[in-house]
């Protein structure tokens, strides 16, 4: 968030993680960040402000502290560094960098090189000469000294050099004419004469901007200020005109002050009052001595009074050294951000001089602070909405997961959209029923909680198998468990899926303990294949139910079954007999309501391992041909696929059958469609670890 203060530990952690990710050193990364930060500031609207800081790199650096002081009006808790330029006797440029934030000084070369390249068309290289910790007023501070070498851009083109030469020639002629005119004309007449006389040259070289700059520069070069022999200002008038000023000598002894400083700190009028007894230096971070102040004479100084009557006064201004008097003049004004701070200090707008821009600054910044507060509120609300949206999305996912566990996905989506769901007829599907052997006796001999635990353990294992084999769980009633293959998504392998699911049920049931005997429970399973009608029934707790004689027959297969066996009807047997399953004929039996029926027992699937049936085999092949087709279609059409289980070999032992059989594809929204062109896809064309069971 824009106005939130983040701990430097977070910054350093981000730098560390980025360095590990990018495989670069911290100093290289921070230097690159410095270049990016400069570009970011330009794009954020500070471009014009940065360009006006100075006409060269030295002036630019010298005014950075003033820029930070201005930004502190908006970012009150900003802990900005301090910069100072020192020119050595041999002409070398040293940049002193002071900061309370350790470990970030490598950002400085990146910023300065970008500034020099962009603003001053020059190349800068910076070398660390010294790095130390100075014991300043606030404690340990990082002090880094850079040696700065500045040169012209080496990659200028010949045309740029030629244009620069023309520009310099024109400027030299203007400078000479300025000198000749300076003795004859004054003020605006001189400027007008220079501009008019060089009008043609300006048009020729299209350097109007450079001409104006050069003319003003030449005037500055030829200007010689004059000073009066006597200062025609009364002491009283001076102290009233500049109500916030302090004059002190080399020993920091106060000589005189402005009237409003006397009003606020009457103790300064005492004889031999020492400035460091009443004020402390906030910026720049230097010791309170005349030598330190003169070293930073070009910096803006912020002084803070010690608490008196529970109020403090901050002054901001410029230090001016008066050599003849051996005294320092501190021209200042109160450092205020808002009208509230003005009241807290105990001042009024009338206490500020009419010429002091602090009056306008306080009023303008009051409006800016109100806008900032509104921005903060908007950002906080935006962040709260983002968090709420994330939580809402998570809750939505939970709700949808619960809904999809009760109804088929496409049926649930239609109900959510307020649409009515019509019943649909499915020409062929396979239905499974199962129950627990001697469940009534178990219920009579156990506590209800034990029955619940047993059923929950068993049903959880069965539910997992439905996802593996792509069958739909219709419902559970007591110990009865009902699933269907081929509904609500039609598939040609519905019987194979339900058969493998039944084999998995039998394996999973052996892992569930009978609470009475302590032995594994036994289940009966019955399967039947045929047509059904499916639809949503009810408005309160709606259920997706199946209707038809196929449901009754499947239930009869279960009830007339044998413990720990999978009972098949003739129609289901006809679907599985050529798929490699191990099936044993039971013979004819009397089925209630059906008469004599020839039935079968499903013993196993020798072509697929138990781990594949249970979904425990990692990286194994897919059991079902249409799963392969759905995976291929998903890559091109992004249609949902059905989860698959893995096996070792094709069910019929001949993978070439894929080329001759038309795979079945589906869409989850009715009507269901078949992709007739999919028959051209062979098993060898699938980029997959999977093979197929038919």
């Amino acid at each position: 968030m824009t106005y939130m203060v983040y701990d430097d530990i977070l910054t350093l952690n981000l730098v560390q993680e980025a360095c590990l990710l990018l495989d670069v050193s911290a100093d290289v990364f921070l230097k690159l960040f410095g270049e990016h930060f400069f570009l970011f500031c330009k794009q954020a609207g500070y471009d014009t402000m940065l360009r006006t800081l100075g006409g060269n790199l030295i002036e630019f650096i010298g005014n950075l502290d003033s820029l930070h002081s201005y930004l502190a009006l908006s970012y009150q808790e900003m802990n900005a560094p301090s910069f100072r330029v020192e020119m050595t006797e041999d002409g070398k440029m040293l940049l002193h960098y002071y900061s309370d934030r350790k470990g970030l000084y490598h950002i400085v070369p990146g910023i300065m090189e970008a500034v020099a390249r962009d603003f001053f068309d020059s190349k800068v290289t910076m070398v660390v000469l010294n790095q130390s910790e100075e014991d300043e007023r606030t404690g340990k501070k990082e002090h880094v000294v850079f040696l700065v070498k500045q040169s012209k851009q080496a990659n200028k083109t010949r045309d740029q050099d030629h244009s620069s030469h023309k520009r310099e020639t024109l400027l030299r002629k203007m400078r000479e004419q300025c000198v000749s005119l300076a003795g004859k004309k004054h003020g605006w007449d001189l400027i007008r004469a220079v501009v008019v006389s060089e009008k043609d040259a300006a048009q020729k070289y299209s350097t109007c901007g450079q001409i104006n700059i050069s003319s003003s520069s030449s005037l500055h070069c030829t200007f010689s200020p004059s000073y009066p022999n006597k200062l025609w200002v009364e002491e009283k008038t001076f102290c009233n005109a500049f109500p916030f000023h302090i004059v002190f000598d080399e020993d920091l002894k106060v000589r005189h002050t402005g009237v409003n400083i006397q009003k606020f700190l009457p103790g300064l009028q005492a004889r031999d009052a020492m400035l460091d007894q009443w004020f402390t230096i906030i910026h720049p971070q230097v010791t309170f001595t005349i030598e330190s102040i003169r070293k930073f004479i070009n910096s803006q100084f912020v002084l803070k009074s010690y608490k008196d009557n529970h109020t403090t006064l901050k002054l901001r201004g410029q230090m001016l050294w008066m050599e003849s008097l051996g005294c320092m003049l501190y021209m200042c004004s109160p450092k205020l951000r808002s009208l509230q701070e003005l009241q807290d200090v105990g001042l009024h707008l009338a206490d500020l001089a009419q010429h002091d821009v602090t009056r306008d600054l306080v009023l303008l910044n009051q409006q800016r602070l109100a806008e900032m507060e509104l921005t903060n509120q908007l950002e906080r609300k935006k962040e709260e909405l983002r968090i709420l949206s994330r939580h809402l999305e998570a809750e939505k996912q939970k709700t949808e997961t619960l809904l999809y566990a009760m109804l088929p996905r496409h049926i649930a989506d239609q109900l959510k959209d307020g649409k009515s769901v019509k019943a649909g007829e499915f020409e062929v599907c396979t239905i499974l029923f199962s129950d627990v052997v001697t469940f009534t006796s178990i219920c009579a001999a156990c506590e209800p909680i034990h029955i619940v635990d047993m059923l929950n353990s068993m049903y959880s294992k069965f539910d997992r198998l439905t996802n593996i084999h792509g069958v739909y769980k219709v419902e559970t009633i007591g110990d009865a468990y009902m699933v269907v293959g081929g509904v609500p998504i039609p598939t040609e392998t519905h019987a194979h899926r339900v058969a493998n699911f039944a084999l998995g049920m039998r394996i999973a049931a052996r892992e569930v303990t009978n609470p009475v005997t302590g032995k594994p429970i036994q289940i009966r399973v019955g399967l039947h294949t045929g047509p059904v009608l499916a639809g949503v029934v009810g408005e309160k707790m709606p259920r997706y139910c199946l209707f038809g004689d196929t449901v009754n027959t499947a239930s009869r297969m279960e009830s007339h079954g044998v413990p720990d066996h999978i009972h098949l009807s003739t129609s289901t047997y006809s679907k599985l007999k050529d798929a490699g399953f191990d099936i044993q004929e039971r013979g004819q039996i009397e089925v209630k309501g059906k008469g004599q029926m020839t039935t079968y027992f499903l013993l196993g699937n020798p072509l697929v391992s138990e781990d594949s049936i249970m979904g425990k085999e990692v990286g194994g092949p897919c059991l079902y041909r249409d799963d392969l087709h759905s995976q291929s279609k998903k890559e091109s059409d992004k249609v949902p696929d059905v989860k698959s289980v893995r096996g070792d070999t094709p069910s019929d032992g001949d993978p070439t059958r894929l080329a001759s059989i038309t795979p079945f594809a589906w869409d989850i929204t009715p009507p269901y469609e078949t992709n007739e062109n999919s028959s051209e896809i062979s098993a060898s064309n699938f980029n997959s670890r999977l093979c197929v069971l038919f």
Side-chain angles (χ1 to χ4, degrees):
M1 296 179 65
T2 305
Y3 299 102
M4 181 178 291
V5 179
Y6 295 94
D7 197 291
D8 281 343
I9 295 178
L10 177 61
T11 303
L12 296 176
N13 289 340
L14 286 172
V15 170
Q16 182 180 2
E17 293 298 325
C19 291
L20 291 175
L21 182 66
L22 301 174
D23 193 22
V24 296
S25 59
D27 53 346
V28 173
F29 176 82
L30 289 173
K31 183 178 179 181
L32 292 173
F33 170 73
E35 296 180 11
H36 171 77
F37 181 70
F38 170 69
L39 296 176
F40 170 78
C41 291
K42 288 180 59 180
Q43 296 170 359
Y46 292 95
D47 184 29
T48 303
M49 185 182 299
L50 291 171
R51 290 181 184 274
T52 57
L53 287 184
N56 54 54
L57 186 60
I58 297 177
E59 294 177 354
F60 179 89
I61 298 173
N63 284 288
L64 277 178
D65 286 5
S66 299
L67 175 62
H68 289 151
S69 177
Y70 164 75
L71 294 177
L73 295 174
S74 300
Y75 304 91
Q76 187 175 12
E77 299 183 35
M78 181 177 67
N79 187 8
S82 180
F83 298 90
R84 179 172 65 90
V85 176
E86 176 187 356
M87 301 302 297
T88 61
E89 295 180 356
D90 55 357
K92 293 182 179 179
M93 177 180 171
L94 301 181
L95 173 59
H96 294 262
Y97 165 81
Y98 303 86
S99 177
D100 284 326
R101 307 165 68 185
K102 298 180 61 177
L104 301 178
Y105 66 91
H106 290 292
I107 297 177
V108 178
I111 295 178
M112 295 306 169
E113 290 179 12
V115 169
R117 181 172 58 251
D118 198 325
F119 288 171
F120 307 114
D121 198 23
S122 60
K123 181 180 180 182
V124 165
T125 57
M126 300 179 64
V127 181
V128 177
L129 293 183
N130 184 34
Q131 180 183 1
S132 61
E133 291 184 349
E134 295 188 354
D135 190 5
E136 301 287 0
R137 178 188 56 77
T138 57
K140 297 292 184 180
K141 291 183 61 64
E142 188 171 55
H143 176 202
V144 182
V145 182
F146 296 94
L147 173 63
V148 182
K149 296 180 181 179
Q150 187 177 10
S151 60
K152 290 185 177 180
Q153 287 279 23
N155 58 348
K156 281 188 176 182
T157 64
R158 182 177 301 177
D159 291 340
Q160 288 176 320
D161 290 335
H162 183 62
S163 176
S164 178
H165 176 71
K166 287 182 178 180
R167 207 160 43 240
E168 290 176 0
T169 303
L170 176 61
L171 296 179
R172 184 169 58 252
K173 290 175 60 180
M174 289 188 61
R175 192 175 296 110
E176 292 172 356
Q177 185 162 356
C178 285
V179 174
S180 64
L181 293 172
K184 302 177 183 179
K185 300 180 182 292
H186 301 280
W188 288 109
D189 294 333
L190 174 60
I191 296 175
R192 189 178 299 108
V194 171
V195 174
V196 171
S197 63
E198 293 299 329
K199 183 177 181 181
D200 295 337
Q203 294 176 348
K204 179 178 179 181
Y205 295 108
S206 300
T207 54
C208 297
Q210 289 83 348
I211 291 172
N212 293 332
I213 296 172
S214 176
S215 61
S216 61
S217 177
S218 300
L219 288 173
H220 179 73
C221 294
T222 59
F223 172 71
S224 179
S226 61
Y227 301 101
N229 295 327
K230 178 182 178 182
L231 187 62
W232 292 87
V233 178
E234 296 177 347
E235 291 84 353
K236 180 179 179 181
T237 302
F238 183 85
C239 291
N240 286 325
F242 302 98
F244 292 94
H245 80 273
I246 304 174
V247 176
F248 56 96
D249 60 17
E250 296 179 344
D251 298 325
L252 304 181
K253 183 178 178 181
V254 178
R255 293 301 182 179
H256 66 82
T257 63
V259 293
N260 284 342
I261 290 185
Q262 298 173 22
K263 175 183 175 182
F264 194 85
L265 297 172
L268 285 177
Q269 302 181 61
R271 189 174 182 179
D272 299 330
M274 304 298 293
L275 187 62
D276 58 348
Q277 294 178 352
W278 291 91
F279 287 95
T280 180
I281 299 179
I282 299 297
H283 180 82
Q285 300 287 352
V286 295
T287 53
F288 211 143
T289 62
I290 201 70
E291 292 80 9
S292 298
I293 294 174
R294 293 188 64 180
K295 185 187 296 185
F296 288 82
I297 195 69
N298 292 325
S299 299
Q300 183 184 75
F301 278 78
V302 178
L303 271 58
K304 178 181 178 181
S305 67
Y306 292 111
K307 284 190 175 183
D308 184 21
N309 298 327
H310 305 289
T311 59
T312 59
L313 175 66
K314 287 185 180 180
L315 300 175
R316 174 180 59 192
Q318 179 183 7
M319 294 286 185
L320 299 169
W321 176 247
M322 298 179 289
E323 188 68 36
S324 60
L325 299 178
C327 292
M328 187 75 72
L329 170 61
Y330 181 44
M331 297 293 295
C332 57
S333 59
K335 188 175 186 294
L336 302 169
R337 296 178 69 245
S338 63
L339 295 176
Q340 183 61 45
E341 289 187 4
L342 186 72
Q343 294 177 352
D344 293 342
V345 172
L347 294 175
H348 301 85
L349 286 177
D351 295 323
L352 304 177
Q354 294 288 341
H355 59 79
D356 194 345
V357 296
T358 303
R359 299 165 64 100
D360 299 327
L361 183 63
V362 170
L363 294 175
L364 290 174
N365 203 52
Q366 180 70 27
Q367 180 180 0
R368 176 174 172 80
L369 290 175
E371 295 174 353
M372 287 169 50
E373 179 60 27
L374 180 60
T375 302
N376 278 334
Q377 292 179 8
L378 290 176
E379 285 192 345
R380 286 193 294 267
K381 292 298 182 183
K382 180 181 177 181
E383 181 66 14
E384 291 175 1
L385 288 175
R386 189 184 66 83
I387 295 174
L388 288 175
S389 177
R390 189 172 64 228
H391 290 168
L392 181 62
E393 185 64 27
E395 294 301 322
K396 179 183 176 183
Q397 291 293 335
K398 294 178 183 178
T399 303
E400 289 183 346
T401 300
L402 181 60
L403 180 61
Y404 294 151
M406 300 172 61
L407 294 169
R409 181 180 291 268
H410 72 281
I411 298 295
D413 290 338
Q414 291 182 52
L415 292 176
K416 285 196 303 181
D417 294 338
K419 300 178 182 178
S420 60
V421 181
K422 296 181 179 180
E425 184 176 355
F426 294 83
E427 294 182 357
V428 62
C429 67
T430 299
I431 298 177
L432 175 148
F433 277 94
S434 73
D435 72 345
V436 178
V437 179
T438 67
F439 181 71
T440 305
S441 302
I442 296 174
C443 292
C446 291
E447 293 292 331
I449 188 61
H450 296 152
I451 303 300
V452 172
D453 291 340
M454 180 192 72
L455 292 178
N456 181 61
S457 175
M458 181 178 67
Y459 288 163
S460 297
K461 298 178 186 297
F462 293 173
D463 291 345
R464 176 178 172 273
L465 290 172
T466 62
N467 295 327
I468 294 172
H469 295 280
V471 295
Y472 178 69
K473 174 184 175 182
V474 180
E475 63 180 348
T476 58
I477 302 176
D479 63 326
Y481 195 91
M482 177 184 178
V483 300
V484 61
V487 176
I489 301 176
T491 171
E492 286 187 342
T493 57
H494 55 87
H496 313 88
R497 294 172 183 274
V498 177
N500 283 321
F501 173 78
L503 293 172
M505 291 179 72
R506 190 170 61 178
I507 297 172
R510 297 169 186 165
E511 301 174 0
V512 181
T513 304
N514 186 324
V516 177
T517 63
K519 298 179 180 179
I521 64 171
Q522 289 185 325
I523 60 173
R524 277 188 301 263
V525 182
L527 280 69
H528 179 62
T529 300
V532 295
L533 187 70
V536 177
V537 177
E539 294 182 356
K540 188 174 183 180
M541 294 186 65
R543 300 296 301 174
Y544 188 71
C545 299
L546 307 181
F547 303 93
D549 187 63
T550 302
V551 178
N552 296 330
T553 305
S555 178
R556 293 290 184 263
M557 290 296 101
E558 175 268 321
S559 60
H560 289 72
V562 178
D564 203 31
H565 280 67
I566 301 170
H567 199 198
L568 308 180
S569 68
T570 303
S571 59
T572 304
Y573 167 74
S574 64
K575 294 287 185 180
L576 300 177
K577 63 181 180 179
D578 297 324
F581 288 92
D582 185 6
I583 301 175
Q584 176 184 337
E585 182 178 351
R586 182 182 184 183
Q588 284 195 347
I589 63 171
E590 181 70 24
V591 178
K592 182 180 178 180
K594 298 294 180 182
Q596 293 290 323
M597 291 184 63
T598 302
T599 59
Y600 303 83
F601 286 129
L602 174 62
L603 303 180
N605 188 348
L607 299 180
V608 181
S609 66
E610 285 190 0
D611 286 342
S612 295
I613 291 177
M614 300 300 293
K616 297 179 180 179
E617 187 172 88
V618 179
C622 177
L623 288 174
Y624 310 110
R625 167 181 48 79
D626 42 13
D627 276 357
L628 285 177
H629 177 71
S630 66
Q631 291 173 5
S632 176
K633 187 174 178 63
K634 182 179 179 181
E635 293 177 359
S636 58
D637 301 334
K638 302 297 183 183
V639 298
D641 63 342
V642 178
K643 294 184 179 293
S644 58
V645 69
R646 312 182 191 281
D648 296 321
T649 59
S651 60
D652 60 354
D654 183 10
T656 59
R657 285 191 59 193
L658 274 174
S660 61
I661 296 180
T662 302
F664 188 85
W666 61 84
D667 188 353
I668 62 171
T669 57
Y672 303 102
E673 298 178 356
T674 302
N675 185 358
E676 300 297 340
N677 297 327
S678 59
S679 59
E680 299 175 3
I681 303 175
S682 64
S684 59
N685 291 333
F686 286 107
N687 183 19
S688 173
R689 299 169 297 177
L690 312 177
C691 57
V692 180
L693 264 175
F694 294 92

